Amino acid sequence: MSGIYESKLRALLESAGIAVGGRNPWDITVHNPRFYKRVVTESHLGIGESYMDGWWDCPALDQFFYRILRSRLDTKVSQASRALGNILGVLVNLQKPSRAFTVGEVHYNVGNDLYEAMLDKRMLYSCGYWKEARDLDEAQENKLRLIFNKLDLAPGMRVLDIGCGWGGAARFAAEHYGVSVTGVTVSSEQKKMADELRNNLPVEVRLVDYRQLDGSFDRIYSIGMFEHVGVKNYRRFFEITRNCLKPDGLFLLHTIGSKRSSTHTDKWTHKYIFPNSMLPSARQITTAAEGQHLIEDWHAFGNDYDHTLMAWHRNFEEHWPRLRHAYDERFYRMWRYYLLSAAGSFRARNVQLWQILFSNNGITGDYYVPREHKKVLVKN
């Protein structure tokens, strides 16, 4: 029976130009023959866990996954787990308030030392904007200027940051655009560092779920947080942003997006990286936002996340010698798999990156949403 699984998986891999024991960087070496059955029967969970367990290796996981996903092999292995996940997402609200802080505890609290080593100088844990950027720091600053130029920030505005992370975006907005920012996070470690780095800027970070938000703001932005909201809560999210946004305000949503509507994430990502996460489709976003906001602009630049993830991976590998005292070898393989499989997924355009600009009632008159990330002079 094991030979059947091996024959099937080898044939699938060969159809994507991947060989077992080959010489290309995207070819794989199998150390444990149980690998074949595990992948065929357990799909992404099986391939991810077997890599963490050391059952197989690949010199260039990003290139491996690019070929897997570009050839759509993921749709040809074990449909049962995908179907079960969709049913679970329909029946259960995996992102209900009682679960809101789970992803903060499991992922964002894993260790500030890890994120400091991996991320840019402002610790922005989302896709950079690589147009004309020479490195990760410039790509992330480009992203912030792009967002704040789209929002047309002006001194004195009151701004809400939903999912503020370690506060890097909020501090940049306060320092360079003269605004005051209220940020919210579900990670105690993120809030702790954000408070330490505030440097007397008009930035306040709260440890609360977005469903507890109130108040009135001139501008709202949410960068890389919507992936944790869940399809059962999308409508509520947009009701909150509408209620918190002044009638003439603007709201920018920066999110990873799925090319198809679903109600779950894959089992490996749910179990090891982002519990209860879910990537929204364009249809799910527009359906949930209808009647709450008007779409003023939709900007896609998913390939930039490939560049961002590869930069994070280089930083992770460079700093691993000093990180390994706090994290074991299985964590190293898990984190490497996470970063490189995600890079391959964006490269294959299996997942997307969107910035969507909303208003409550529609912008009147001429307003041309900028794609410019250049510095804008702020008059005090």
Side-chain angles (χ1 to χ4, degrees):
M1 179 64 73
S2 60
I4 296 175
Y5 293 118
E6 180 175 349
S7 297
K8 178 179 180 179
L9 189 55
R10 279 179 176 263
L12 286 171
L13 293 174
E14 287 172 5
S15 71
I18 298 168
V20 177
R23 297 181 179 180
N24 294 313
W26 54 82
D27 292 332
I28 67 171
T29 300
V30 175
H31 306 300
N32 189 323
R34 290 179 292 171
F35 161 79
Y36 299 104
K37 180 180 179 181
R38 195 170 182 181
V39 173
V40 171
T41 58
E42 298 179 26
S43 191
H44 194 188
L45 180 63
I47 197 169
E49 287 189 333
S50 63
Y51 181 81
M52 292 166 61
D53 292 338
W55 288 16
W56 64 283
D57 275 300
C58 175
L61 281 173
D62 56 308
Q63 296 183 44
F64 170 79
F65 277 102
Y66 168 77
R67 282 162 175 78
I68 290 286
L69 295 169
R70 199 65 182 172
S71 301
R72 303 194 68 187
L73 295 194
D74 59 313
T75 65
K76 301 174 184 178
V77 177
S78 186
Q79 301 293 323
S81 62
R82 184 178 298 109
L84 182 61
N86 270 321
I87 293 171
L88 182 65
V90 170
L91 296 178
V92 179
N93 184 358
L94 297 174
Q95 300 80 21
K96 62 185 179 180
S98 63
R99 296 173 179 260
F101 290 83
T102 302
V103 70
E105 295 163 0
V106 172
H107 188 78
Y108 297 108
N109 286 359
V110 70
N112 283 339
D113 58 341
L114 170 66
Y115 292 112
E116 283 182 283
M118 186 179 80
L119 304 179
D120 65 298
K121 65 183 181 182
R122 294 187 176 87
M123 293 184 69
L124 301 175
Y125 195 19
S126 56
C127 180
Y129 191 53
W130 286 85
K131 183 179 180 181
E132 301 175 0
R134 293 169 295 182
D135 56 33
L136 181 61
D137 284 341
E138 287 190 1
Q140 293 293 14
E141 181 168 329
N142 285 353
K143 185 261 298 295
L144 294 182
R145 293 196 183 278
L146 180 70
I147 290 172
F148 299 145
N149 291 349
K150 287 179 178 180
L151 287 170
D152 196 23
L153 289 192
M157 284 184 173
R158 189 165 180 242
V159 178
L160 174 64
D161 179 339
I162 305 177
C164 65
W166 293 272
R171 291 192 300 275
F172 189 88
E175 181 178 0
H176 294 276
Y177 290 81
V179 299
S180 62
V181 186
T182 298
V184 297
T185 178
V186 292
S187 165
S188 58
E189 287 299 304
Q190 286 184 334
K191 173 177 166 48
K192 179 182 177 182
M193 178 168 281
D195 289 342
E196 292 172 353
L197 297 175
R198 189 166 63 90
N199 197 26
N200 295 319
L201 290 167
V203 173
E204 177 192 8
V205 174
R206 301 175 183 172
L207 185 66
V208 296
D209 178 41
Y210 71 92
R211 280 162 287 212
Q212 297 173 271
L213 285 170
D214 56 17
S216 181
F217 298 88
D218 300 287
R219 299 289 189 268
I220 300 173
Y221 62 86
S222 181
I223 306 173
M225 174 271 179
F226 196 68
E227 299 89 335
H228 305 303
V229 170
V231 67
K232 284 185 169 291
N233 308 294
Y234 292 158
R235 184 68 175 181
R236 178 60 180 147
F237 180 89
F238 287 119
E239 288 173 350
I240 290 168
T241 53
R242 177 177 177 83
N243 290 337
C244 288
L245 187 65
K246 291 183 179 179
D248 60 348
L250 294 173
F251 161 45
L252 187 137
L253 180 68
H254 173 115
T255 183
I256 299 172
S258 174
K259 64 184 179 182
R260 64 173 68 90
S261 296
S262 179
T263 59
H264 76 300
T265 191
D266 71 86
K267 285 188 174 183
W268 187 86
T269 302
H270 168 75
K271 184 174 181 179
Y272 292 101
I273 306 298
F274 296 115
N276 307 325
S277 63
M278 185 182 303
L279 300 185
S281 69
R283 182 174 67 182
Q284 288 170 332
I285 291 173
T286 56
T287 298
E290 184 174 333
Q292 302 300 322
H293 294 296
L294 294 178
I295 296 174
E296 302 289 351
D297 186 62
W298 195 300
H299 185 185
F301 49 99
N303 200 57
D304 285 32
Y305 225 144
D306 176 15
H307 299 312
T308 303
L309 284 153
M310 294 305 293
W312 290 346
H313 174 253
R314 287 191 295 272
N315 288 343
F316 174 66
E317 294 286 356
E318 178 184 347
H319 292 97
W320 177 247
R322 72 174 177 82
L323 292 170
R324 64 190 316 157
H325 73 280
Y327 305 91
D328 61 20
E329 184 66 18
R330 196 164 191 265
F331 178 91
Y332 168 76
R333 293 180 68 88
M334 177 189 77
W335 208 257
R336 183 174 187 269
Y337 181 93
Y338 152 54
L339 294 173
L340 293 178
S341 63
S345 186
F346 278 100
R347 194 177 308 161
R349 303 314 303 272
N350 187 59
V351 285
Q352 321 299 316
L353 189 284
W354 299 320
Q355 284 188 359
I356 311 164
L357 185 67
F358 296 99
S359 66
N360 273 359
N361 304 309
I363 299 172
T364 57
D366 295 332
Y367 182 70
Y368 301 99
V369 179
R371 292 287 186 267
E372 187 58 67
H373 59 271
K374 297 298 183 182
K375 183 176 181 179
V376 175
L377 295 178
V378 177
K379 297 179 180 181
N380 292 317

